[in-house]
Amino acid sequence: MDEKEKTIHTIRAFTRFYMPMLDLLGNHYLGSKYSATEARVLFEIYENDGCNAAYIANAMNIDKSYLSRIIKNYEKKGYLIRTVSKTDSRSLDLHLTELGLEQTKEFIRRSDAQIGEMIQSLDSEACRRLTHALDTVTELLKDGRKSKNFYWSECL
């Protein structure tokens, strides 16, 4: 097995390890009634207030029809509003309402707590090593995506 094949197998093994650990496989992200994808849409709007659906679809690599259903559902629930873009009247900007901000901040709080529990037994040196390793992974994969003209989001 060459280095690329070993890397592929290692990444897949890590993904199989962390996705269930962070409860990313089901439809109840952090015990909520939302999937991880649905929660991430809120987070993208939170981090990029005034972005549009095309931005989110690109950042998340998500099906536009599925994203449209999520956005319509969130608008109906009062989590977000859409306004006509000041720069392009054909585009709608997305903004979280107070209710949407509360839900997003709750997801962030619960996610931070979940990860805090996972790393609570690590000492400062182990935390530093983990942070460095994750930064390295992000940097290497981000460089690979840039070379293929992919968009990389800095979120979640």
Side-chain angles (χ1 to χ4, degrees):
M1 185 180 305
D2 69 14
E3 282 305 310
K4 288 210 185 234
E5 289 174 315
K6 282 175 37 181
T7 301
I8 290 166
H9 288 275
T10 302
I11 290 171
R12 290 186 66 228
F14 180 73
T15 301
R16 287 190 305 272
F17 165 76
Y18 86 84
M19 288 188 71
M21 183 178 242
L22 293 178
D23 197 21
L24 298 176
L25 296 174
N27 288 325
H28 302 288
Y29 177 66
L30 296 170
S32 73
K33 56 185 173 184
Y34 301 103
S35 69
T37 301
E38 292 166 326
R40 174 71 185 269
V41 169
L42 285 176
F43 187 80
E44 283 294 337
I45 299 167
Y46 175 81
E47 285 288 302
N48 304 285
D49 184 53
C51 65
N52 60 31
Y55 172 87
I56 295 172
N58 192 26
M60 291 180 57
N61 193 25
I62 184 175
D63 177 74
K64 290 177 183 174
S65 297
Y66 179 42
L67 176 60
S68 177
R69 289 190 301 274
I70 293 170
I71 289 171
K72 284 178 186 171
N73 185 38
Y74 282 161
E75 192 172 31
K76 191 184 297 184
K77 288 181 182 284
Y79 287 175
L80 65 84
I81 58 170
R82 296 188 268 189
T83 61
V84 175
S85 171
K86 292 177 181 151
T87 58
D88 181 355
S89 62
R90 299 167 296 167
S91 181
L92 295 173
D93 294 339
L94 303 171
H95 306 276
L96 294 178
T97 63
E98 283 301 315
L99 191 59
L101 282 169
E102 287 174 25
Q103 180 62 66
T104 306
K105 288 178 181 178
E106 178 63 13
F107 281 141
I108 292 168
R109 186 194 65 71
R110 289 160 100 183
S111 181
D112 287 352
Q114 179 189 48
I115 293 167
E117 286 178 26
M118 286 177 6
I119 66 169
Q120 79 182 53
S121 65
L122 301 181
D123 63 19
S124 294
E125 175 59 19
C127 284
R128 189 197 62 71
R129 288 177 49 216
L130 178 59
T131 299
H132 179 73
L134 293 172
D135 286 346
T136 300
V137 169
T138 300
E139 178 184 323
L140 291 170
L141 294 180
K142 186 187 289 186
D143 288 347
R145 288 179 66 102
K146 282 181 185 174
S147 70
K148 296 196 183 255
N149 295 320
F150 284 112
Y151 174 83
W152 181 269
S153 176
E154 298 285 342
C155 303
L156 284 182

